[in-house]
Each structure stands twice: as C-alpha cells, then as structure tokens.
Amino acid sequence: MAVINQIRILLLAAWLGAAIYFSAVVAPNVFGVIRSFNLPNANEIAGTIVTRTLSVVNTSGFILGLLLLITTVVLKKRYGRASFVLQLVLLLIVAIATGVSEWVIAARMQVLRAEMHGQIDNVALADPTRMAFAALHGYSVAALGIAIIAGLVAFSVIANRFKSD
C-alpha cells in the first residue's frame, strides 16, 4: 500500500508542478511574446494557445482528483479519520474546481469568443461581451488557484501520513 501512496504523491506533485508552471510561466509569457510582435490579433492568438494548454491542466486535474479520491477510499484504513476526511474534501475541491473551470467557465468563454468573431482585440473594453469574458477569466484564474491550493494541502496531508513508512 505504501507504493500506491508514493504513486499518489508523485502524480499529485506532477500535476501541481504543471499547474503552477502554467500559471506562473506559460500563460504570462505566451501573452508577452505574442504581444511583442504587435499583431492586430495578439490577444486572440495568445488566448487560443493558453486556452488549449489550460484545457490539458484542467482535464488532467479533474481526472487526477477523481483517481486520488478513489485511491483514498481504498487506503482508508491507513489514515486516521481526520486525515481521511481532509483528503476527501481537498481532492473533491481539486476535481470540482478543475471540472467547473474546464466544462463551465472555459466553455462559456469559448462561446463569448465566438460571439466576438475572434476579434477580442477589436472589441471595446466597455462592450458587455468583452466585460463578461473578462469576468469569466477572473473566475477561471480563481478556480485554478483554488485547485492548486487544495492540491498543495492534500499533498502535504498525503505525504506526511506516510513519512514514517
């Protein structure tokens, strides 16, 4: 069972690394590099790249969250009640946050992008569609941030339980 837990820790660490790297490095740099070319549709191009990359982070976070929830139940006897419940709650938060981000927030953002005909850069900042898009972007950032924080705490709980094994 310790091997299963080590795999759980490794998978969670890999996802956390990808999610943090995406947030801190990939997304801002894609926008910075594309904008540096002064293209008329720089934000649209960068947004498309970031959206596709974020989809991988969100989908893998959702799948990982579910997988880790299942293995938490399998390993239930290895944990105290508080640790078990805390893991369930935290991993459920990871799964829900990434799932909502991918299949609710990002899906709605895609609809709004289509309504702007791929010309986000040419739509006035005060336009209701652009304002709705910006609000959804904020929710997307928050959802991933919540998933990362829950994942970091879950990592700590899982790793500390088996430290003596």
Side-chain angles (χ1 to χ4, degrees):
M1 291 296 183
V3 172
I4 292 173
N5 209 63
Q6 294 301 318
I7 292 169
R8 295 173 77 223
I9 292 168
L10 177 66
L11 290 172
L12 186 53
W15 180 79
L16 283 166
I20 293 168
Y21 186 75
F22 168 81
S23 301
V25 178
V26 174
N29 280 299
V30 166
F31 275 93
V33 168
I34 301 293
R35 286 175 179 157
S36 73
F37 286 97
N38 295 316
L39 300 170
N41 59 343
N43 287 335
E44 182 65 26
I45 295 167
T48 300
I49 294 167
V50 167
T51 297
R52 289 184 180 187
T53 308
L54 180 58
S55 179
V56 173
V57 172
N58 281 332
T59 302
S60 62
F62 179 77
I63 292 167
L64 179 68
L66 294 179
L67 176 67
L68 294 180
L69 278 167
I70 292 166
T71 57
T72 299
V73 173
V74 169
L75 297 172
K76 179 180 180 178
K77 293 180 182 179
R78 305 275 302 203
Y79 298 109
R81 180 169 169 74
S83 177
F84 173 72
V85 171
L86 186 57
Q87 282 185 59
L88 289 179
V89 169
L90 293 167
L91 296 170
L92 193 58
I93 290 170
V94 171
I96 290 170
T98 54
V100 166
S101 184
E102 180 61 24
W103 293 296
V104 177
I105 299 169
R108 181 66 185 135
M109 288 175 79
Q110 287 289 59
V111 169
L112 292 174
R113 287 175 85 184
E115 288 176 12
M116 292 183 271
H117 307 291
Q119 300 298 317
I120 293 173
D121 298 308
N122 296 330
V123 176
L125 293 174
D127 181 273
T129 306
R130 179 113 183 230
M131 290 172 59
F133 185 88
L136 287 168
H137 176 264
Y139 297 142
S140 175
V141 170
L144 184 56
I146 289 167
I148 289 171
I149 291 167
L152 286 168
V153 176
F155 178 87
S156 177
V157 171
I158 295 167
N160 284 327
R161 165 56 185 96
F162 278 83
K163 195 184 325 185
S164 61
D165 282 357

